[in-house]
Amino acid sequence: MKTVCTLFLGTLIAATLACGYTAKTTPPAAGTAPTIAQLNPDNATAGGAAFNLIVNGSNFGTKAVVNWNGVAQSTNTTYVTGSQLTVAVPATAIANSGTVQITVTNPAVAGTGMYGSGGTAAATSAPMPFTIN
């Protein structure tokens, strides 16, 4: 009888696993893209001193980050409002003349649904040029 019960239990487990159950996850939704309307100042003098760059726009998340030529300024960015961020620009960043592309990224938000599904993907604004004279 014990052998029959063991075989029955084994068959039941195998049938359950063979059903092909998979977790139902949903991919992240598109994040809200920020938009840059204005940089203040919009230029600097090469070799000048460090300064604070004010980035005005819309749809800035509380954890939004200003990117300087594609490099996230995570520790230098300060959220002011949903339409304004500031970033501390060190003097070394403006040592040479040229044009720098400024963007803002709203980071991805992890899903909170069952199995971690949902959430939003990171979204980055269109670039705005910053001139170093």
Side-chain angles (χ1 to χ4, degrees):
M1 183 67 172
K2 209 175 208 184
T3 305
V4 172
C5 285
T6 303
L7 285 173
F8 177 72
L9 182 59
T11 304
L12 185 61
I13 291 171
T16 302
L17 293 175
C19 288
Y21 174 79
T22 59
K24 306 290 188 242
T25 60
T26 56
T32 303
T35 303
I36 299 175
Q38 177 188 31
L39 300 175
N40 186 15
D42 63 358
N43 66 76
T45 302
F51 65 97
N52 283 327
L53 175 66
I54 300 169
V55 181
N56 294 306
S58 59
N59 299 323
F60 298 155
T62 57
K63 295 183 180 183
V65 174
V66 174
N67 304 300
W68 181 271
N69 252 1
V71 178
Q73 302 300 302
S74 306
T75 58
N76 300 351
T77 300
T78 302
Y79 173 86
V80 179
T81 67
S83 60
Q84 188 174 81
L85 303 171
T86 62
V87 62
V89 178
T92 55
I94 59 167
N96 301 310
S97 61
T99 301
V100 175
Q101 297 301 315
I102 304 297
T103 57
V104 173
T105 299
N106 284 334
V109 177
T112 58
M114 188 178 277
Y115 309 111
S117 63
T120 59
T124 301
S125 70
M128 180 164 279
F130 179 87
T131 306
I132 304 169
N133 301 312

PDB file of all heavy atoms in Angstrom, residues 53-95:
ATOM      1  N   LEU A  53      24.274  75.109 -11.976  1.00  0.00           N
ATOM      2  CA  LEU A  53      23.473  75.184 -13.193  1.00  0.00           C
ATOM      3  C   LEU A  53      22.026  74.902 -12.820  1.00  0.00           C
ATOM      4  O   LEU A  53      21.738  73.903 -12.160  1.00  0.00           O
ATOM      5  CB  LEU A  53      23.967  74.159 -14.216  1.00  0.00           C
ATOM      6  CG  LEU A  53      23.158  74.019 -15.509  1.00  0.00           C
ATOM      7  CD1 LEU A  53      23.248  75.297 -16.335  1.00  0.00           C
ATOM      8  CD2 LEU A  53      23.672  72.832 -16.309  1.00  0.00           C
ATOM      9  N   ILE A  54      21.127  75.804 -13.217  1.00  0.00           N
ATOM     10  CA  ILE A  54      19.691  75.620 -12.966  1.00  0.00           C
ATOM     11  C   ILE A  54      19.070  75.078 -14.249  1.00  0.00           C
ATOM     12  O   ILE A  54      19.242  75.665 -15.319  1.00  0.00           O
ATOM     13  CB  ILE A  54      19.021  76.948 -12.555  1.00  0.00           C
ATOM     14  CG1 ILE A  54      19.662  77.478 -11.274  1.00  0.00           C
ATOM     15  CG2 ILE A  54      17.516  76.761 -12.391  1.00  0.00           C
ATOM     16  CD1 ILE A  54      19.267  78.894 -10.921  1.00  0.00           C
ATOM     17  N   VAL A  55      18.369  73.960 -14.119  1.00  0.00           N
ATOM     18  CA  VAL A  55      17.707  73.327 -15.253  1.00  0.00           C
ATOM     19  C   VAL A  55      16.201  73.474 -15.043  1.00  0.00           C
ATOM     20  O   VAL A  55      15.654  72.949 -14.074  1.00  0.00           O
ATOM     21  CB  VAL A  55      18.089  71.835 -15.380  1.00  0.00           C
ATOM     22  CG1 VAL A  55      17.407  71.204 -16.588  1.00  0.00           C
ATOM     23  CG2 VAL A  55      19.602  71.672 -15.460  1.00  0.00           C
ATOM     24  N   ASN A  56      15.554  74.247 -15.922  1.00  0.00           N
ATOM     25  CA  ASN A  56      14.103  74.446 -15.855  1.00  0.00           C
ATOM     26  C   ASN A  56      13.433  73.602 -16.930  1.00  0.00           C
ATOM     27  O   ASN A  56      13.957  73.459 -18.039  1.00  0.00           O
ATOM     28  CB  ASN A  56      13.746  75.922 -16.059  1.00  0.00           C
ATOM     29  CG  ASN A  56      14.240  76.785 -14.926  1.00  0.00           C
ATOM     30  OD1 ASN A  56      13.959  76.529 -13.770  1.00  0.00           O
ATOM     31  ND2 ASN A  56      15.031  77.791 -15.249  1.00  0.00           N
ATOM     32  N   GLY A  57      12.273  73.064 -16.620  1.00  0.00           N
ATOM     33  CA  GLY A  57      11.553  72.235 -17.580  1.00  0.00           C
ATOM     34  C   GLY A  57      10.284  71.685 -16.965  1.00  0.00           C
ATOM     35  O   GLY A  57       9.614  72.370 -16.203  1.00  0.00           O
ATOM     36  N   SER A  58       9.972  70.431 -17.292  1.00  0.00           N
ATOM     37  CA  SER A  58       8.764  69.814 -16.757  1.00  0.00           C
ATOM     38  C   SER A  58       8.962  68.312 -16.596  1.00  0.00           C
ATOM     39  O   SER A  58       9.879  67.729 -17.163  1.00  0.00           O
ATOM     40  CB  SER A  58       7.570  70.087 -17.681  1.00  0.00           C
ATOM     41  OG  SER A  58       7.828  69.570 -18.974  1.00  0.00           O
ATOM     42  N   ASN A  59       8.105  67.711 -15.799  1.00  0.00           N
ATOM     43  CA  ASN A  59       8.079  66.263 -15.535  1.00  0.00           C
ATOM     44  C   ASN A  59       9.357  65.744 -14.878  1.00  0.00           C
ATOM     45  O   ASN A  59       9.753  64.609 -15.123  1.00  0.00           O
ATOM     46  CB  ASN A  59       7.799  65.473 -16.824  1.00  0.00           C
ATOM     47  CG  ASN A  59       6.464  65.812 -17.424  1.00  0.00           C
ATOM     48  OD1 ASN A  59       5.496  66.030 -16.712  1.00  0.00           O
ATOM     49  ND2 ASN A  59       6.412  65.871 -18.734  1.00  0.00           N
ATOM     50  N   PHE A  60       9.987  66.544 -14.019  1.00  0.00           N
ATOM     51  CA  PHE A  60      11.163  66.073 -13.300  1.00  0.00           C
ATOM     52  C   PHE A  60      10.697  65.279 -12.086  1.00  0.00           C
ATOM     53  O   PHE A  60       9.962  65.786 -11.242  1.00  0.00           O
ATOM     54  CB  PHE A  60      12.047  67.233 -12.817  1.00  0.00           C
ATOM     55  CG  PHE A  60      12.624  68.086 -13.926  1.00  0.00           C
ATOM     56  CD1 PHE A  60      12.984  69.393 -13.684  1.00  0.00           C
ATOM     57  CD2 PHE A  60      12.824  67.582 -15.203  1.00  0.00           C
ATOM     58  CE1 PHE A  60      13.535  70.191 -14.674  1.00  0.00           C
ATOM     59  CE2 PHE A  60      13.371  68.368 -16.210  1.00  0.00           C
ATOM     60  CZ  PHE A  60      13.722  69.675 -15.944  1.00  0.00           C
ATOM     61  N   GLY A  61      11.134  64.025 -12.001  1.00  0.00           N
ATOM     62  CA  GLY A  61      10.809  63.202 -10.838  1.00  0.00           C
ATOM     63  C   GLY A  61      11.663  63.615  -9.653  1.00  0.00           C
ATOM     64  O   GLY A  61      12.689  64.293  -9.804  1.00  0.00           O
ATOM     65  N   THR A  62      11.260  63.186  -8.458  1.00  0.00           N
ATOM     66  CA  THR A  62      12.000  63.566  -7.244  1.00  0.00           C
ATOM     67  C   THR A  62      13.413  62.989  -7.225  1.00  0.00           C
ATOM     68  O   THR A  62      14.273  63.497  -6.519  1.00  0.00           O
ATOM     69  CB  THR A  62      11.258  63.128  -5.977  1.00  0.00           C
ATOM     70  OG1 THR A  62      11.037  61.714  -6.041  1.00  0.00           O
ATOM     71  CG2 THR A  62       9.932  63.858  -5.834  1.00  0.00           C
ATOM     72  N   LYS A  63      13.650  61.936  -8.004  1.00  0.00           N
ATOM     73  CA  LYS A  63      14.987  61.342  -8.066  1.00  0.00           C
ATOM     74  C   LYS A  63      15.646  61.572  -9.429  1.00  0.00           C
ATOM     75  O   LYS A  63      16.575  60.866  -9.813  1.00  0.00           O
ATOM     76  CB  LYS A  63      14.913  59.855  -7.749  1.00  0.00           C
ATOM     77  CG  LYS A  63      14.470  59.613  -6.315  1.00  0.00           C
ATOM     78  CD  LYS A  63      14.471  58.167  -5.960  1.00  0.00           C
ATOM     79  CE  LYS A  63      14.021  58.024  -4.513  1.00  0.00           C
ATOM     80  NZ  LYS A  63      14.059  56.644  -4.075  1.00  0.00           N
ATOM     81  N   ALA A  64      15.165  62.585 -10.157  1.00  0.00           N
ATOM     82  CA  ALA A  64      15.720  62.905 -11.472  1.00  0.00           C
ATOM     83  C   ALA A  64      17.190  63.287 -11.340  1.00  0.00           C
ATOM     84  O   ALA A  64      17.614  63.841 -10.325  1.00  0.00           O
ATOM     85  CB  ALA A  64      14.930  64.035 -12.118  1.00  0.00           C
ATOM     86  N   VAL A  65      17.946  62.991 -12.394  1.00  0.00           N
ATOM     87  CA  VAL A  65      19.386  63.262 -12.394  1.00  0.00           C
ATOM     88  C   VAL A  65      19.737  64.043 -13.658  1.00  0.00           C
ATOM     89  O   VAL A  65      19.281  63.707 -14.750  1.00  0.00           O
ATOM     90  CB  VAL A  65      20.184  61.943 -12.356  1.00  0.00           C
ATOM     91  CG1 VAL A  65      21.673  62.194 -12.500  1.00  0.00           C
ATOM     92  CG2 VAL A  65      19.898  61.184 -11.082  1.00  0.00           C
ATOM     93  N   VAL A  66      20.552  65.080 -13.492  1.00  0.00           N
ATOM     94  CA  VAL A  66      21.073  65.831 -14.637  1.00  0.00           C
ATOM     95  C   VAL A  66      22.282  65.061 -15.183  1.00  0.00           C
ATOM     96  O   VAL A  66      23.125  64.577 -14.419  1.00  0.00           O
ATOM     97  CB  VAL A  66      21.487  67.260 -14.228  1.00  0.00           C
ATOM     98  CG1 VAL A  66      22.165  67.984 -15.384  1.00  0.00           C
ATOM     99  CG2 VAL A  66      20.271  68.040 -13.739  1.00  0.00           C
ATOM    100  N   ASN A  67      22.339  64.929 -16.500  1.00  0.00           N
ATOM    101  CA  ASN A  67      23.462  64.266 -17.168  1.00  0.00           C
ATOM    102  C   ASN A  67      24.300  65.321 -17.890  1.00  0.00           C
ATOM    103  O   ASN A  67      23.758  66.143 -18.620  1.00  0.00           O
ATOM    104  CB  ASN A  67      22.956  63.240 -18.183  1.00  0.00           C
ATOM    105  CG  ASN A  67      22.034  62.233 -17.534  1.00  0.00           C
ATOM    106  OD1 ASN A  67      22.425  61.523 -16.630  1.00  0.00           O
ATOM    107  ND2 ASN A  67      20.800  62.182 -17.995  1.00  0.00           N
ATOM    108  N   TRP A  68      25.611  65.291 -17.684  1.00  0.00           N
ATOM    109  CA  TRP A  68      26.563  66.220 -18.298  1.00  0.00           C
ATOM    110  C   TRP A  68      27.302  65.419 -19.365  1.00  0.00           C
ATOM    111  O   TRP A  68      28.122  64.568 -19.043  1.00  0.00           O
ATOM    112  CB  TRP A  68      27.510  66.736 -17.224  1.00  0.00           C
ATOM    113  CG  TRP A  68      28.541  67.721 -17.664  1.00  0.00           C
ATOM    114  CD1 TRP A  68      29.786  67.439 -18.135  1.00  0.00           C
ATOM    115  CD2 TRP A  68      28.425  69.140 -17.660  1.00  0.00           C
ATOM    116  NE1 TRP A  68      30.455  68.607 -18.421  1.00  0.00           N
ATOM    117  CE2 TRP A  68      29.647  69.672 -18.137  1.00  0.00           C
ATOM    118  CE3 TRP A  68      27.414  70.026 -17.303  1.00  0.00           C
ATOM    119  CZ2 TRP A  68      29.886  71.033 -18.254  1.00  0.00           C
ATOM    120  CZ3 TRP A  68      27.650  71.383 -17.417  1.00  0.00           C
ATOM    121  CH2 TRP A  68      28.867  71.877 -17.892  1.00  0.00           C
ATOM    122  N   ASN A  69      26.969  65.667 -20.634  1.00  0.00           N
ATOM    123  CA  ASN A  69      27.553  64.910 -21.746  1.00  0.00           C
ATOM    124  C   ASN A  69      27.362  63.402 -21.559  1.00  0.00           C
ATOM    125  O   ASN A  69      28.274  62.614 -21.785  1.00  0.00           O
ATOM    126  CB  ASN A  69      29.033  65.236 -21.926  1.00  0.00           C
ATOM    127  CG  ASN A  69      29.269  66.065 -23.175  1.00  0.00           C
ATOM    128  OD1 ASN A  69      28.353  66.410 -23.895  1.00  0.00           O
ATOM    129  ND2 ASN A  69      30.516  66.397 -23.415  1.00  0.00           N
ATOM    130  N   GLY A  70      26.179  63.029 -21.099  1.00  0.00           N
ATOM    131  CA  GLY A  70      25.850  61.620 -20.934  1.00  0.00           C
ATOM    132  C   GLY A  70      26.264  61.005 -19.616  1.00  0.00           C
ATOM    133  O   GLY A  70      25.961  59.847 -19.353  1.00  0.00           O
ATOM    134  N   VAL A  71      26.972  61.743 -18.775  1.00  0.00           N
ATOM    135  CA  VAL A  71      27.424  61.219 -17.484  1.00  0.00           C
ATOM    136  C   VAL A  71      26.486  61.730 -16.392  1.00  0.00           C
ATOM    137  O   VAL A  71      26.346  62.945 -16.193  1.00  0.00           O
ATOM    138  CB  VAL A  71      28.883  61.642 -17.181  1.00  0.00           C
ATOM    139  CG1 VAL A  71      29.321  61.124 -15.825  1.00  0.00           C
ATOM    140  CG2 VAL A  71      29.809  61.148 -18.278  1.00  0.00           C
ATOM    141  N   ALA A  72      25.859  60.794 -15.684  1.00  0.00           N
ATOM    142  CA  ALA A  72      24.915  61.156 -14.617  1.00  0.00           C
ATOM    143  C   ALA A  72      25.632  61.889 -13.488  1.00  0.00           C
ATOM    144  O   ALA A  72      26.674  61.440 -13.006  1.00  0.00           O
ATOM    145  CB  ALA A  72      24.232  59.909 -14.088  1.00  0.00           C
ATOM    146  N   GLN A  73      25.073  63.005 -13.087  1.00  0.00           N
ATOM    147  CA  GLN A  73      25.610  63.799 -11.982  1.00  0.00           C
ATOM    148  C   GLN A  73      24.797  63.496 -10.725  1.00  0.00           C
ATOM    149  O   GLN A  73      24.174  64.371 -10.126  1.00  0.00           O
ATOM    150  CB  GLN A  73      25.561  65.294 -12.338  1.00  0.00           C
ATOM    151  CG  GLN A  73      26.317  65.657 -13.599  1.00  0.00           C
ATOM    152  CD  GLN A  73      27.788  65.301 -13.501  1.00  0.00           C
ATOM    153  OE1 GLN A  73      28.497  65.764 -12.615  1.00  0.00           O
ATOM    154  NE2 GLN A  73      28.245  64.460 -14.421  1.00  0.00           N
ATOM    155  N   SER A  74      24.793  62.236 -10.340  1.00  0.00           N
ATOM    156  CA  SER A  74      23.943  61.741  -9.247  1.00  0.00           C
ATOM    157  C   SER A  74      24.158  62.477  -7.934  1.00  0.00           C
ATOM    158  O   SER A  74      23.204  62.850  -7.272  1.00  0.00           O
ATOM    159  CB  SER A  74      24.168  60.250  -9.016  1.00  0.00           C
ATOM    160  OG  SER A  74      23.984  59.545 -10.205  1.00  0.00           O
ATOM    161  N   THR A  75      25.408  62.666  -7.561  1.00  0.00           N
ATOM    162  CA  THR A  75      25.673  63.296  -6.265  1.00  0.00           C
ATOM    163  C   THR A  75      25.588  64.817  -6.333  1.00  0.00           C
ATOM    164  O   THR A  75      25.488  65.468  -5.299  1.00  0.00           O
ATOM    165  CB  THR A  75      27.069  62.897  -5.734  1.00  0.00           C
ATOM    166  OG1 THR A  75      28.055  63.273  -6.692  1.00  0.00           O
ATOM    167  CG2 THR A  75      27.147  61.396  -5.487  1.00  0.00           C
ATOM    168  N   ASN A  76      25.621  65.386  -7.529  1.00  0.00           N
ATOM    169  CA  ASN A  76      25.608  66.844  -7.689  1.00  0.00           C
ATOM    170  C   ASN A  76      24.223  67.407  -7.973  1.00  0.00           C
ATOM    171  O   ASN A  76      24.051  68.620  -7.967  1.00  0.00           O
ATOM    172  CB  ASN A  76      26.532  67.267  -8.833  1.00  0.00           C
ATOM    173  CG  ASN A  76      27.968  66.855  -8.609  1.00  0.00           C
ATOM    174  OD1 ASN A  76      28.340  66.397  -7.544  1.00  0.00           O
ATOM    175  ND2 ASN A  76      28.777  67.000  -9.629  1.00  0.00           N
ATOM    176  N   THR A  77      23.239  66.551  -8.307  1.00  0.00           N
ATOM    177  CA  THR A  77      21.916  67.034  -8.695  1.00  0.00           C
ATOM    178  C   THR A  77      21.027  67.216  -7.471  1.00  0.00           C
ATOM    179  O   THR A  77      20.975  66.345  -6.604  1.00  0.00           O
ATOM    180  CB  THR A  77      21.231  66.050  -9.666  1.00  0.00           C
ATOM    181  OG1 THR A  77      22.045  65.915 -10.837  1.00  0.00           O
ATOM    182  CG2 THR A  77      19.853  66.538 -10.071  1.00  0.00           C
ATOM    183  N   THR A  78      20.323  68.340  -7.448  1.00  0.00           N
ATOM    184  CA  THR A  78      19.364  68.608  -6.372  1.00  0.00           C
ATOM    185  C   THR A  78      17.995  68.851  -6.982  1.00  0.00           C
ATOM    186  O   THR A  78      17.843  69.687  -7.886  1.00  0.00           O
ATOM    187  CB  THR A  78      19.784  69.858  -5.556  1.00  0.00           C
ATOM    188  OG1 THR A  78      21.089  69.635  -5.023  1.00  0.00           O
ATOM    189  CG2 THR A  78      18.806  70.137  -4.429  1.00  0.00           C
ATOM    190  N   TYR A  79      16.990  68.117  -6.491  1.00  0.00           N
ATOM    191  CA  TYR A  79      15.601  68.312  -6.919  1.00  0.00           C
ATOM    192  C   TYR A  79      15.060  69.533  -6.185  1.00  0.00           C
ATOM    193  O   TYR A  79      15.153  69.625  -4.966  1.00  0.00           O
ATOM    194  CB  TYR A  79      14.779  67.070  -6.570  1.00  0.00           C
ATOM    195  CG  TYR A  79      13.303  67.217  -6.819  1.00  0.00           C
ATOM    196  CD1 TYR A  79      12.769  66.957  -8.070  1.00  0.00           C
ATOM    197  CD2 TYR A  79      12.439  67.598  -5.800  1.00  0.00           C
ATOM    198  CE1 TYR A  79      11.408  67.080  -8.309  1.00  0.00           C
ATOM    199  CE2 TYR A  79      11.084  67.728  -6.027  1.00  0.00           C
ATOM    200  CZ  TYR A  79      10.571  67.467  -7.278  1.00  0.00           C
ATOM    201  OH  TYR A  79       9.220  67.592  -7.502  1.00  0.00           O
ATOM    202  N   VAL A  80      14.521  70.494  -6.935  1.00  0.00           N
ATOM    203  CA  VAL A  80      13.906  71.685  -6.333  1.00  0.00           C
ATOM    204  C   VAL A  80      12.391  71.540  -6.425  1.00  0.00           C
ATOM    205  O   VAL A  80      11.697  71.577  -5.409  1.00  0.00           O
ATOM    206  CB  VAL A  80      14.394  72.984  -7.020  1.00  0.00           C
ATOM    207  CG1 VAL A  80      13.733  74.201  -6.408  1.00  0.00           C
ATOM    208  CG2 VAL A  80      15.919  73.095  -6.942  1.00  0.00           C
ATOM    209  N   THR A  81      11.885  71.385  -7.650  1.00  0.00           N
ATOM    210  CA  THR A  81      10.455  71.143  -7.894  1.00  0.00           C
ATOM    211  C   THR A  81      10.339  70.237  -9.116  1.00  0.00           C
ATOM    212  O   THR A  81      11.344  69.916  -9.745  1.00  0.00           O
ATOM    213  CB  THR A  81       9.679  72.458  -8.186  1.00  0.00           C
ATOM    214  OG1 THR A  81      10.132  72.979  -9.447  1.00  0.00           O
ATOM    215  CG2 THR A  81       9.859  73.502  -7.093  1.00  0.00           C
ATOM    216  N   GLY A  82       9.135  69.887  -9.474  1.00  0.00           N
ATOM    217  CA  GLY A  82       8.896  69.083 -10.662  1.00  0.00           C
ATOM    218  C   GLY A  82       9.274  69.814 -11.939  1.00  0.00           C
ATOM    219  O   GLY A  82       9.296  69.212 -13.016  1.00  0.00           O
ATOM    220  N   SER A  83       9.606  71.093 -11.826  1.00  0.00           N
ATOM    221  CA  SER A  83       9.996  71.864 -13.004  1.00  0.00           C
ATOM    222  C   SER A  83      11.376  72.514 -12.857  1.00  0.00           C
ATOM    223  O   SER A  83      11.768  73.321 -13.692  1.00  0.00           O
ATOM    224  CB  SER A  83       8.949  72.942 -13.303  1.00  0.00           C
ATOM    225  OG  SER A  83       8.819  73.818 -12.201  1.00  0.00           O
ATOM    226  N   GLN A  84      12.108  72.156 -11.785  1.00  0.00           N
ATOM    227  CA  GLN A  84      13.444  72.743 -11.631  1.00  0.00           C
ATOM    228  C   GLN A  84      14.387  71.805 -10.868  1.00  0.00           C
ATOM    229  O   GLN A  84      14.028  71.239  -9.844  1.00  0.00           O
ATOM    230  CB  GLN A  84      13.383  74.079 -10.895  1.00  0.00           C
ATOM    231  CG  GLN A  84      14.712  74.819 -10.887  1.00  0.00           C
ATOM    232  CD  GLN A  84      14.578  76.195 -10.280  1.00  0.00           C
ATOM    233  OE1 GLN A  84      14.572  76.331  -9.065  1.00  0.00           O
ATOM    234  NE2 GLN A  84      14.474  77.198 -11.144  1.00  0.00           N
ATOM    235  N   LEU A  85      15.589  71.689 -11.431  1.00  0.00           N
ATOM    236  CA  LEU A  85      16.685  70.958 -10.797  1.00  0.00           C
ATOM    237  C   LEU A  85      17.894  71.876 -10.777  1.00  0.00           C
ATOM    238  O   LEU A  85      18.010  72.785 -11.599  1.00  0.00           O
ATOM    239  CB  LEU A  85      17.054  69.704 -11.596  1.00  0.00           C
ATOM    240  CG  LEU A  85      15.979  68.667 -11.865  1.00  0.00           C
ATOM    241  CD1 LEU A  85      16.487  67.631 -12.859  1.00  0.00           C
ATOM    242  CD2 LEU A  85      15.553  68.001 -10.575  1.00  0.00           C
ATOM    243  N   THR A  86      18.812  71.656  -9.848  1.00  0.00           N
ATOM    244  CA  THR A  86      20.092  72.354  -9.890  1.00  0.00           C
ATOM    245  C   THR A  86      21.187  71.288  -9.881  1.00  0.00           C
ATOM    246  O   THR A  86      21.002  70.194  -9.344  1.00  0.00           O
ATOM    247  CB  THR A  86      20.302  73.307  -8.693  1.00  0.00           C
ATOM    248  OG1 THR A  86      20.298  72.553  -7.483  1.00  0.00           O
ATOM    249  CG2 THR A  86      19.221  74.377  -8.658  1.00  0.00           C
ATOM    250  N   VAL A  87      22.304  71.619 -10.481  1.00  0.00           N
ATOM    251  CA  VAL A  87      23.451  70.719 -10.479  1.00  0.00           C
ATOM    252  C   VAL A  87      24.705  71.548 -10.234  1.00  0.00           C
ATOM    253  O   VAL A  87      24.884  72.610 -10.831  1.00  0.00           O
ATOM    254  CB  VAL A  87      23.552  69.899 -11.785  1.00  0.00           C
ATOM    255  CG1 VAL A  87      23.754  70.768 -12.994  1.00  0.00           C
ATOM    256  CG2 VAL A  87      24.630  68.834 -11.692  1.00  0.00           C
ATOM    257  N   ALA A  88      25.534  71.072  -9.307  1.00  0.00           N
ATOM    258  CA  ALA A  88      26.809  71.734  -9.014  1.00  0.00           C
ATOM    259  C   ALA A  88      27.809  71.300 -10.082  1.00  0.00           C
ATOM    260  O   ALA A  88      28.110  70.120 -10.217  1.00  0.00           O
ATOM    261  CB  ALA A  88      27.287  71.343  -7.625  1.00  0.00           C
ATOM    262  N   VAL A  89      28.298  72.262 -10.848  1.00  0.00           N
ATOM    263  CA  VAL A  89      29.251  71.985 -11.925  1.00  0.00           C
ATOM    264  C   VAL A  89      30.643  72.369 -11.434  1.00  0.00           C
ATOM    265  O   VAL A  89      30.895  73.546 -11.157  1.00  0.00           O
ATOM    266  CB  VAL A  89      28.883  72.773 -13.207  1.00  0.00           C
ATOM    267  CG1 VAL A  89      29.902  72.506 -14.302  1.00  0.00           C
ATOM    268  CG2 VAL A  89      27.472  72.432 -13.665  1.00  0.00           C
ATOM    269  N   PRO A  90      31.546  71.393 -11.337  1.00  0.00           N
ATOM    270  CA  PRO A  90      32.900  71.728 -10.866  1.00  0.00           C
ATOM    271  C   PRO A  90      33.702  72.453 -11.939  1.00  0.00           C
ATOM    272  O   PRO A  90      33.420  72.321 -13.138  1.00  0.00           O
ATOM    273  CB  PRO A  90      33.510  70.350 -10.570  1.00  0.00           C
ATOM    274  CG  PRO A  90      32.768  69.405 -11.458  1.00  0.00           C
ATOM    275  CD  PRO A  90      31.368  69.980 -11.589  1.00  0.00           C
ATOM    276  N   ALA A  91      34.695  73.195 -11.532  1.00  0.00           N
ATOM    277  CA  ALA A  91      35.536  73.951 -12.466  1.00  0.00           C
ATOM    278  C   ALA A  91      36.216  73.028 -13.471  1.00  0.00           C
ATOM    279  O   ALA A  91      36.429  73.409 -14.628  1.00  0.00           O
ATOM    280  CB  ALA A  91      36.576  74.762 -11.686  1.00  0.00           C
ATOM    281  N   THR A  92      36.519  71.802 -13.079  1.00  0.00           N
ATOM    282  CA  THR A  92      37.182  70.867 -13.995  1.00  0.00           C
ATOM    283  C   THR A  92      36.299  70.509 -15.192  1.00  0.00           C
ATOM    284  O   THR A  92      36.800  70.160 -16.255  1.00  0.00           O
ATOM    285  CB  THR A  92      37.580  69.568 -13.266  1.00  0.00           C
ATOM    286  OG1 THR A  92      36.419  69.007 -12.643  1.00  0.00           O
ATOM    287  CG2 THR A  92      38.650  69.838 -12.221  1.00  0.00           C
ATOM    288  N   ALA A  93      34.979  70.624 -15.031  1.00  0.00           N
ATOM    289  CA  ALA A  93      34.051  70.286 -16.120  1.00  0.00           C
ATOM    290  C   ALA A  93      34.032  71.351 -17.206  1.00  0.00           C
ATOM    291  O   ALA A  93      33.574  71.091 -18.317  1.00  0.00           O
ATOM    292  CB  ALA A  93      32.647  70.073 -15.568  1.00  0.00           C
ATOM    293  N   ILE A  94      34.498  72.556 -16.874  1.00  0.00           N
ATOM    294  CA  ILE A  94      34.495  73.641 -17.865  1.00  0.00           C
ATOM    295  C   ILE A  94      35.907  74.141 -18.158  1.00  0.00           C
ATOM    296  O   ILE A  94      36.098  75.290 -18.537  1.00  0.00           O
ATOM    297  CB  ILE A  94      33.574  74.806 -17.423  1.00  0.00           C
ATOM    298  CG1 ILE A  94      34.017  75.389 -16.083  1.00  0.00           C
ATOM    299  CG2 ILE A  94      32.116  74.345 -17.381  1.00  0.00           C
ATOM    300  CD1 ILE A  94      33.359  76.708 -15.734  1.00  0.00           C
ATOM    301  N   ALA A  95      36.873  73.264 -17.983  1.00  0.00           N
ATOM    302  CA  ALA A  95      38.273  73.651 -18.199  1.00  0.00           C
ATOM    303  C   ALA A  95      38.565  73.965 -19.657  1.00  0.00           C
ATOM    304  O   ALA A  95      39.390  74.827 -19.951  1.00  0.00           O
ATOM    305  CB  ALA A  95      39.203  72.542 -17.710  1.00  0.00           C
TER     306      ALA A  95
END
